[in-house]
C-alpha cells in the first residue's frame, strides 16, 4: 500500500440507490446525478462509468472546471449542466461543448448572449429564479429586463431550464419557507409562459425535496447525496420509512474507506496521549496509530470523538487528530497487530461506521466529510 488509505466504491450499492430513487419519480422525469465536489468525494473519473452503466445520462456540477472533468470522462450522449461558476472566459468552451449552465445575473445573461451571437451557436441556458433562498437567481422585478434580452436574441439561446433551489427541504422546521418557494416558483414560471418562453425542463428538486416535497420533482431532479447512499437528514429518512411502512434502509452506502494499523505501543496509567492534554489514560492502555489525519480527510473535529473499526470492534479515537495520524485506544479490542485492517467508513464483522456515525453528529456532516476526502486517496470500483 503506497498511500496511507484507500477507498472502495460499491457498484451494486450505486445501482440500488439509483433504482430506489427512480421508483420515486414519474417515468418521464429526468435523473440528473449531482457529481460536484469530486462526486461528493467519491471521485468523478472513477465513479462516472459506473453511474453511466446504471443508465444515468445527465450530470450536474458546480463549476466549469468540474464540467471539463465530467466532459472528459463521460460517454458521448451524456449531458453536463453547470449549476454555478462559469467565468466569462469559459462561456465559449461551454457553448461550444453544448454544456448547459445556470444563468442568474443580468451580467451573465448578457455575456452569454453576446458570446453565442459571436459563435453563431445557441447557448443552452437554465434561468435560475429567486424564490426565497436569497442566494442566487433572478427576482421578479428583473424579469422584464430578462424577457427583453431574450426577445432580442431569439436565435442565440435554447431555454434548457427554469430552475430554483430550496432553502432547507431536509427539515420540516422549514416547511412554510419551502412551501412559499414552491408557490413562487410556479408563479414565476407562469410569467415565462405568458411571454412564450417554455423551458425544456422545469427543475427544483434536490434529494431532500424529492422525499419531503414529492410534488417538486417536475421534469428533472438534481440528486446528489441520496445517490451516494445517504439521507439528507435523519428526519427525512424516518418520515419516509413511516410513510411507506418499511424496515431497514433502502439506500446503501457506496463508499468504504480503509487503512491499516501503523504501530502499537503500551502506555502506562495517567499519561497524556497525542498533542496537548486532551486525553489522559485511566488505565494501562494499548495505543495504536493509523496513518490518516486531517490532512488526509479525517476531520480534526473527530479528536476524542470519532470511532473506527479494527479487529471487528469499534475503537475510539483518543487525543487530537494530527495532520497525518490518528491515535486509537485498542485496549479493549483484543488481538490487534501492526498491519491489521482499519475501517474508517464501512463495515467490518457486522459492525458499521457510517459517515454520520463517525460520532454522534448531525447528518449534514455527511456532505462536509465526504467532500473533504482528498483527491489523492486511491479509489476503485468493486
Ligand atoms: C448540491 C445541489 C443539489 C443536490 O443536493 P443533494 O442534497 O445532494 O441532493 C441540487 N441542486 C443544487 C442547486 C445544488 O447545489
Amino acid at each position: 500500500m503506497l498511500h496511507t488509505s484507500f477507498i472502495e466504491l460499491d457498484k451494486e450499492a450505486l445501482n440500488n440507490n439509483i433504482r430506489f430513487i427512480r421508483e420515486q419519480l414519474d417515468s418521464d422525469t429526468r435523473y440528473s446525478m449531482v457529481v460536484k465536489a469530486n462526486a461528493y468525494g467519491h471521485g468523478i473519473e472513477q465513479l462516472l462509468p459506473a453511474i453511466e452503466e446504471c443508465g444515468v445520462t445527465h450530470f450536474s456540477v458546480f463549476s466549469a472546471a468540474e464540467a471539463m472533468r465530467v466532459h472528459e470522462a463521460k460517454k458521448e450522449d451524456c449531458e453536463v449542466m453547470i449549476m454555478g461558476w462559469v467565468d466569462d472566459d469559459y462561456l465559449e468552451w461551454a457553448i461550444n461543448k453544448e454544456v448547459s449552465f445556470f444563468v442568474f445575473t443580468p451580467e451573465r445573461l448578457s455575456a452569454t448572449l453576446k458570446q453565442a451571437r459571436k459563435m453563431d451557436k445557441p447557448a443552452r441556458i437554465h434561468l435560475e429564479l429567486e424564490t426565497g433562498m436569497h442566494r442566487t437567481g433572478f427576482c421578479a422585478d428583473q424579469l422584464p429586463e430578462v424577457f427583453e434580452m431574450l426577445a432580442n436574441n431569439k436565435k442565440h439561446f435554447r431555454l434548457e431550464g427554469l430552475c430554483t433551489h430550496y432553502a432547507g427541504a431536509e427539515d420540516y422546521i422549514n416547511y412554510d419557507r419551502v412551501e412559499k418557494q414552491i408557490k413562487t416558483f410556479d408563479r414565476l414560471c407562469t410569467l415565462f409562459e405568458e411571454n412564450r418562453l417554455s423551458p425544456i425542463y422545469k427543475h427544483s428538486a434536490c434529494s431532500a425535496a424529492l422525499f419531503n416535497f414529492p410534488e417538486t420533482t417536475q421534469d428533472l431532479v438534481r440528486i446528489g447525496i441520496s445517490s451516494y447512499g445517504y439521507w439528507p437528514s435523519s428526519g427525512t429518512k424516518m418520515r419516509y420509512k413511516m410513510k411507506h411502512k418499511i424496515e431497514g434502509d433502502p439506500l446503501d452506502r457506496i463508499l468504504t474507506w480503509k487503512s491499516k494499523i501503523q504501530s502499537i505501543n503500551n502506555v502506562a496509567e495517567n499519561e497524556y496521549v497525542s498533542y496537548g492534554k486532551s486525553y489522559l489514560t485511566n488505565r494501562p492502555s494499548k495505543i495504536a496509530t493509523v496513518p490518516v489525519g486531517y490532512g488526509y480527510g479525517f476531520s480534526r473535529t473527530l479528536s476524542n470523538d470519532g470511532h473506527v473499526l479494527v479487529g471487528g470492534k469499534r475503537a475510539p479515537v483518543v487525543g487530537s487528530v494530527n495532520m497525518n495520524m490518528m491515535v486509537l485506544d485498542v485496549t479493549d479490542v483484543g488481538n490487534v497487530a501492526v498491519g491489521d485492517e482499519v475501517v474508517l467508513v464501512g463495515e467490518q464483522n457486522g459492525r458499521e461506521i457510517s459517515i454520520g456515525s463517525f460520532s454522534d453528529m448531525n447528518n449534514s456532516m455527511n456532505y462536509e466529510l465526504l467532500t473533504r476526502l482528498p483527491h489523492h486517496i486511491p479509489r476503485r470500483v468493486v
Side-chain angles (χ1 to χ4, degrees), residues 34 36 40 83 102 135 165 206-208 222-225 367:
V34 181
K36 63 190 179 190
Y40 289 53
M83 305 186 292
F102 281 25
R135 188 174 69 172
H165 189 54
C206 57
S207 303
R222 309 183 302 257
I223 306 298
I225 198 82
Y367 291 83

Side-chain angles (χ1 to χ4, degrees), residues 32 34 36 40 60-62 81 83-84 102 128 135-136 164-166 170 203-209 221-228 232 367:
S32 182
V34 181
K36 63 190 179 190
Y40 289 53
S60 297
V61 294
F62 181 76
M81 171 169 90
M83 305 186 292
F102 281 25
E128 188 183 3
R135 188 174 69 172
T136 43
T164 195
H165 189 54
Y166 298 113
E170 72 283 357
H203 56 101
S204 60
C206 57
S207 303
V221 290
R222 309 183 302 257
I223 306 298
I225 198 82
S226 295
S227 309
Y228 302 96
Y367 291 83

Side-chain angles (χ1 to χ4, degrees), residues 15-142:
N15 198 18
N16 167 75
N17 301 338
I18 291 175
R19 203 171 42 214
F20 169 68
I21 292 162
R22 278 228 168 92
E23 283 167 15
Q24 322 298 314
L25 302 172
D26 288 340
S27 60
D28 54 356
T29 298
R30 190 108 191 244
Y31 189 130
S32 182
M33 181 147 166
V34 181
V35 294
K36 63 190 179 190
N38 200 27
Y40 289 53
H42 292 64
I44 286 179
E45 287 75 13
Q46 295 88 344
L47 200 60
L48 221 67
I51 304 172
E52 287 174 332
E53 276 181 43
C54 298
V56 173
T57 56
H58 199 285
F59 299 104
S60 297
V61 294
F62 181 76
S63 68
E66 292 167 346
M68 284 183 183
R69 285 174 61 196
V70 174
H71 194 267
E72 270 301 295
K74 78 178 181 64
K75 287 209 189 98
E76 183 127 284
D77 57 350
C78 293
E79 297 179 60
V80 187
M81 171 169 90
I82 303 173
M83 305 186 292
W85 181 247
V86 197
D87 212 347
D88 287 356
D89 300 345
Y90 290 92
L91 287 171
E92 182 178 2
W93 176 82
I95 295 169
N96 188 31
K97 299 293 183 194
E98 296 174 12
V99 166
S100 68
F101 51 92
F102 281 25
V103 174
F104 42 78
T105 60
E107 292 80 6
R108 184 175 293 168
L109 183 56
S110 142
T112 299
L113 294 169
K114 192 170 149 206
Q115 183 63 44
R117 201 179 314 127
K118 201 164 121 195
M119 294 166 70
D120 199 20
K121 182 164 182 173
R124 295 170 61 176
I125 58 172
H126 301 258
L127 296 174
E128 188 183 3
L129 306 177
E130 171 50 55
T131 57
M133 182 155 178
H134 301 298
R135 188 174 69 172
T136 43
F138 288 107
C139 306
D141 63 359
Q142 291 177 301

Side-chain angles (χ1 to χ4, degrees), residues 344-359:
L344 308 174
V345 176
E347 276 176 36
Q348 194 184 58
N349 197 25
R351 290 194 168 84
E352 179 173 13
I353 305 272
S354 71
I355 290 240
S357 66
F358 260 166
S359 81

